[in-house]
Amino acid sequence: AGMVGAFLMEIRRGTQSALLVIRYAAAELPSAPVEVSVCADSLEVRSGGSCDAAALPAGVSLVPSSCRGLQRLRGDGLHLRLRLRSPPPAADVIFPLRESLKPNKNYIFYCQSCGDIVVKDRKFLRVLPLPSENWSDLVEEWCCHPDPFARSTLHPQHGDCFVGDTFFLLNSGTESHKSKENTRVICKRCKTMLGETVSSDTIKYYVTEVIIQPAEGSFSPTPRSQFVQSMVAQCLLELSSAKSTFRFTIKGDNGRTYILVWLLNSDTLLVESLGSSSSHSDFTLFGDILTPSSGPVGTWNAVKVLYQPCIQCRNKELADAWEDDMGVHPLKFPSETCLELLLILGLSTTSLPPSLRCMNSFQV
């Protein structure tokens, strides 16, 4: 009775390997012997007359004879490693943010939180990528004379959309969402911060706060945590691919550093069974996005990161060292979103088996 049919499988596409954790409902071992059967396309756990079986998702095929490293970890359950017959289907292609916008098409910007229209029916003649936010720091390395760009500003004209690492720059035109107190741009309906004014005619909208859809389409809401995870993962993957950068500081619009993030891998496929236990919520990795249509076994493409919180002066020495390191890339979001992301990371960590939650001094 102490056994639950829930399992967590972490698959690496690159190495065609998998770590399988069969989890207990309690820290104690079940009184009856446990028999685990691993087949190419299914798993089965028998204990004390009860049997929990789960079919693996399509495209995931194991090599049963490759089972090795079987061990029981208190509080976790049974761990074992396996090889896959073939790599699972490739992850969904993540398009660069600038590719989500095409010239000469009409777009509507919606507030992601409440769906209110922020920018209505705007057509862009040019969609152009901006250099990294710290590009000016590198000018000294490029030029043997004083900075030739010191007085230059990159401001979009009415038909322009400039795309940064975590934001879009638009000509403000007739849009007016500016808060009277400061330069924060807020949603008129729900008062969420959407961006900030850069100049009298330029507004910055953060990618985590707005949904951009073609004018002929309709707004389709996305759960907040799912959207934040998706956009931040997209930023990490784009920058790691384009710049071979794997360490990031997550900064708020107030200039504070909230999180240090180290991208570990982006080829992970998570497979999770909810089992038959009433306490399955303890084991659910992404409970907010698992829908009944997902069935008893859910799969997620995942970006695996190591992170350190920096709020309340935690990890200040490490944060200062990263700040001075040119190999670390800063990512700026609204401060409220940084706190949301920290909460999302924390919930993800605590949903993992205890032995998988830390690596060196970082959380996973």
Side-chain angles (χ1 to χ4, degrees):
M3 196 67 185
V4 69
F7 70 84
L8 176 67
M9 186 183 298
E10 181 183 325
I11 294 171
R12 292 290 308 277
R13 289 184 173 88
T15 57
Q16 294 185 37
S17 60
L19 169 65
L20 172 63
V21 181
I22 298 172
R23 309 184 70 170
Y24 299 131
E28 299 302 321
L29 275 172
S31 55
V34 176
E35 180 182 316
V36 179
S37 300
V38 179
C39 301
D41 57 358
S42 65
L43 298 170
E44 191 176 275
V45 180
R46 296 176 180 272
S47 177
S50 65
C51 176
D52 287 302
L56 296 178
V60 177
S61 180
L62 304 174
V63 180
S65 60
S66 67
C67 291
R68 60 184 175 82
L70 178 64
Q71 59 177 326
R72 177 181 73 88
L73 296 180
R74 183 174 294 276
D76 276 18
L78 297 176
H79 285 232
L80 61 132
R81 295 188 174 276
L82 304 105
R83 285 191 295 108
L84 274 64
R85 291 188 185 278
S86 58
D92 296 334
V93 176
I94 291 190
F95 294 101
L97 295 172
R98 61 180 174 275
E99 289 189 14
S100 63
L101 291 170
K102 302 292 183 185
N104 297 311
K105 287 189 67 175
N106 287 8
Y107 291 95
I108 298 176
F109 285 48
Y110 298 90
C111 170
Q112 196 279 326
S113 298
C114 71
D116 195 30
I117 292 178
V118 179
V119 178
K120 187 174 183 180
D121 214 16
R122 181 76 71 88
K123 179 188 287 188
F124 299 112
L125 302 178
R126 301 189 303 173
V127 179
L128 302 172
L130 285 168
S132 301
E133 282 200 49
N134 60 347
W135 69 275
S136 58
D137 298 337
L138 301 174
V139 170
E140 291 180 4
E141 307 295 329
W142 301 342
C143 302
C144 57
H145 51 279
D147 183 358
F149 310 109
R151 297 184 180 180
S152 301
T153 53
L154 298 171
H155 287 177
Q157 301 302 308
H158 182 71
D160 294 342
C161 178
F162 293 170
V163 185
D165 292 340
T166 62
F167 59 87
F168 302 98
L169 280 188
L170 272 63
N171 187 282
S172 56
T174 57
E175 313 295 336
S176 178
H177 297 265
K178 184 178 176 181
S179 165
K180 292 179 180 178
E181 292 77 19
N182 51 35
T183 60
R184 290 162 66 93
V185 176
I186 59 174
C187 173
K188 290 178 179 177
R189 180 193 288 174
C190 69
K191 308 306 179 187
T192 297
M193 178 186 173
L194 305 174
E196 53 194 89
T197 55
V198 177
S199 69
S200 59
D201 60 353
T202 303
I203 293 182
K204 173 194 289 186
Y205 291 107
Y206 287 103
V207 298
T208 51
E209 312 309 316
V210 294
I211 290 180
I212 305 171
Q213 293 186 338
E216 61 270 15
S218 58
F219 176 78
S220 52
T222 305
R224 176 65 183 164
S225 64
Q226 180 186 351
F227 185 78
V228 171
Q229 288 182 72
S230 173
M231 297 312 297
V232 172
Q234 189 166 328
C235 292
L236 297 179
L237 290 182
E238 280 187 36
L239 288 165
S240 64
S241 174
K243 304 178 186 298
S244 295
T245 296
F246 304 99
R247 289 181 297 158
F248 305 87
T249 52
I250 307 296
K251 292 175 170 288
D253 61 283
N254 55 11
R256 295 178 186 169
T257 298
Y258 283 80
I259 319 170
L260 307 178
V261 174
W262 198 324
L263 177 62
L264 202 58
N265 67 63
S266 56
D267 66 344
T268 293
L269 176 68
L270 289 174
V271 181
E272 186 185 23
S273 162
L274 303 186
S276 56
S277 167
S278 60
S279 63
H280 69 262
S281 60
D282 295 340
F283 305 126
T284 304
L285 194 54
F286 297 121
D288 63 328
I289 62 171
L290 184 69
T291 57
S293 61
S294 300
V297 178
T299 61
W300 297 270
N301 293 311
V303 171
K304 189 171 186 177
V305 301
L306 309 181
Y307 70 97
Q308 290 275 25
C310 294
I311 56 173
Q312 298 174 337
C313 296
R314 293 173 64 183
N315 300 302
K316 188 176 186 308
E317 287 186 12
L318 183 60
D320 290 343
W322 280 35
E323 191 74 34
D324 297 332
D325 191 330
M326 291 296 288
V328 177
H329 195 86
L331 292 176
K332 184 179 175 183
F333 298 102
S335 301
E336 296 87 344
T337 301
C338 295
L339 292 172
E340 283 182 88
L341 179 59
L342 192 55
L343 177 61
I344 290 168
L345 287 168
L347 291 172
S348 175
T349 299
T350 54
S351 70
L352 289 170
S355 67
L356 302 181
R357 295 176 187 174
C358 295
M359 185 176 290
N360 297 328
S361 61
F362 286 80
Q363 297 180 66
V364 179

